[in-house]
Amino acid sequence: MVFAKTSTPAPPGTNGKDPDMTTSATLARPSSTAVDAEPLLAVRDLSVEFETKRGIVKAVDGVSFDLAPGERLAIVGESGSGKSVMSMSLLQLVTYPGRIVGGSALLEGQDLIALKGSALRTVRGSKVTMIFQDPMTSLNPVLRVTDQITAPLKRHLGLSQHAAEQTALEALRRVGIPDPERNIRAYPHELSGGMRQRVLIAMAVACEPRLLIADEPTTALDVTIQAQIIELLKEQAAELNSAVIFVTHDMGVVARFAHRVGVMYGGRLVEIGPVEEIFENPQHPYTRGLLASIPTVGGEMPERLAQIDGTPPDLARLPEGCSFAPRCDAAQAPCLQVRPELTRRGPGHEAACLVTESEAGGASWRRPNH
């Protein structure tokens, strides 16, 4: 398998408008299918809570979005923003003391949140699959690769052992595993980190799912392997016309991979829209802060990197108004009292902020030049 060369991506200015930004990466653009098709997945008011000694933690608070067939949506945000909990809740993988307390997730008209028992087990691994961020702990260390890939094939597709092994071999070839006839008999510890991640992808795509959820699948990999895995996921999604939810904290990965990006903060979506529109015209101060904090490649080195002062909110004691207001230099009096809802800022672009970009000025979030 040949992978396209990739380079360090940049956020705003990738079209050359901002000389302080690198221009080597091309922002992903959605196909007409991803834009015009009816939603494959429709998430509405999804809420997840954790019961703790300190009180109820609202890890996901009323998240809603649509996802079209073949579309790649990146979910970004700091640790603790709720992005991983949101993605795992779509497969009901949130366990006690966490619980899904509201909302729906319609996949081709079937509510994933309402499924129980055998109906849920049928969907997991067939219509919806998940790739986790640590392949060493996600793969069973005492089972060979062949056993781990063939198990869902036999369960969901009803294949015989021989047919499942042949399908597994083909899946390993598709994801670029060298010498698949030998490596399919290997144990996870006998494979490199990049190969283990490819095995997880092979397991995820073998049953040709309609929705693929990837929870920071490149975190533990070096940058070269990371670029290969990103391109591989794009290829597999395109071949299967599968929608992808890609959870990450890396805005560079977003630029390389996604059609759309959703920014989460304090358990809520605070901005969502086409990746190029958000990179070029972010409407939420938190999004502008994330983009400004990315180091540049080339140009004059600033004395310090831009940063978002303060700490993420306590999800057990969220403020009355905007949860980002305590960290936002552009906050005004209403921000401390009114919780903003997502409002339209452009075609397919929504942001939850009471202060417009012109009012904020953006000065607090620009990368310092000195």
Side-chain angles (χ1 to χ4, degrees), residues 60-89:
V60 180
D61 189 9
V63 169
S64 299
F65 62 87
D66 289 339
L67 195 59
E71 185 178 20
R72 302 190 298 269
L73 172 67
I75 302 294
V76 301
E78 294 170 289
S79 297
S81 63
K83 56 187 187 298
S84 291
V85 174
M86 184 278 294
S87 64
M88 289 192 296
S89 66

Side-chain angles (χ1 to χ4, degrees), residues 332-364:
Q332 301 177 6
C335 301
L336 304 176
Q337 303 169 353
V338 179
R339 191 174 81 162
E341 300 295 335
L342 287 171
T343 57
R344 189 176 185 274
R345 302 299 178 92
H349 186 181
E350 295 179 299
C353 183
L354 300 177
V355 182
T356 65
E357 185 178 12
S358 60
E359 291 174 328
S364 298

Side-chain angles (χ1 to χ4, degrees), residues 50-65:
F50 286 79
E51 185 175 351
T52 70
K53 293 180 180 179
R54 298 177 55 253
I56 299 298
V57 173
K58 295 183 177 181
V60 180
D61 189 9
V63 169
S64 299
F65 62 87

Side-chain angles (χ1 to χ4, degrees), residues 164-302:
E165 289 184 358
Q166 294 305 306
T167 303
L169 278 172
E170 179 57 30
L172 292 180
R173 292 189 187 99
R174 285 168 56 186
V175 300
I177 292 287
D179 194 2
E181 288 80 4
R182 177 175 65 86
N183 284 316
I184 197 172
R185 303 296 175 186
Y187 289 96
H189 71 270
E190 297 177 301
L191 304 176
S192 67
M195 289 179 67
R196 289 196 293 265
Q197 195 62 278
R198 289 170 188 260
V199 169
L200 282 180
I201 296 174
M203 292 172 61
V205 302
C207 292
E208 301 187 356
R210 301 295 294 130
L211 174 63
L212 177 62
I213 303 171
D215 185 9
E216 303 200 46
T218 60
T219 298
L221 306 176
D222 64 59
V223 292
T224 302
I225 301 302
Q226 180 185 89
Q228 293 177 352
I229 295 299
I230 290 170
E231 293 303 314
L232 176 59
L233 282 171
K234 289 168 64 175
E235 291 173 7
Q236 296 302 309
E239 287 182 15
L240 301 174
N241 196 32
S242 299
V244 182
I245 297 175
F246 193 101
V247 177
T248 183
H249 62 274
D250 189 335
M251 296 299 283
V253 170
V254 173
R256 183 181 293 132
F257 179 82
H259 295 140
R260 286 196 302 147
V261 55
V263 182
M264 288 194 70
Y265 185 82
R268 307 187 71 218
L269 269 179
V270 297
E271 187 162 6
I272 187 169
V275 64
E276 185 168 1
E277 170 67 15
I278 286 184
F279 272 43
E280 293 293 339
N281 187 30
Q283 292 294 303
H284 196 282
Y286 178 61
T287 308
R288 291 197 289 271
L290 289 178
L291 294 173
S293 64
I294 300 176
T296 59
V297 178
E300 184 179 353
M301 179 67 68

Side-chain angles (χ1 to χ4, degrees), residues 136 139-141 143-145 148 186-192 196:
M136 195 64 239
L139 292 170
N140 191 323
L143 293 180
R144 297 180 188 272
V145 168
Q148 301 191 56
Y187 289 96
H189 71 270
E190 297 177 301
L191 304 176
S192 67
R196 289 196 293 265

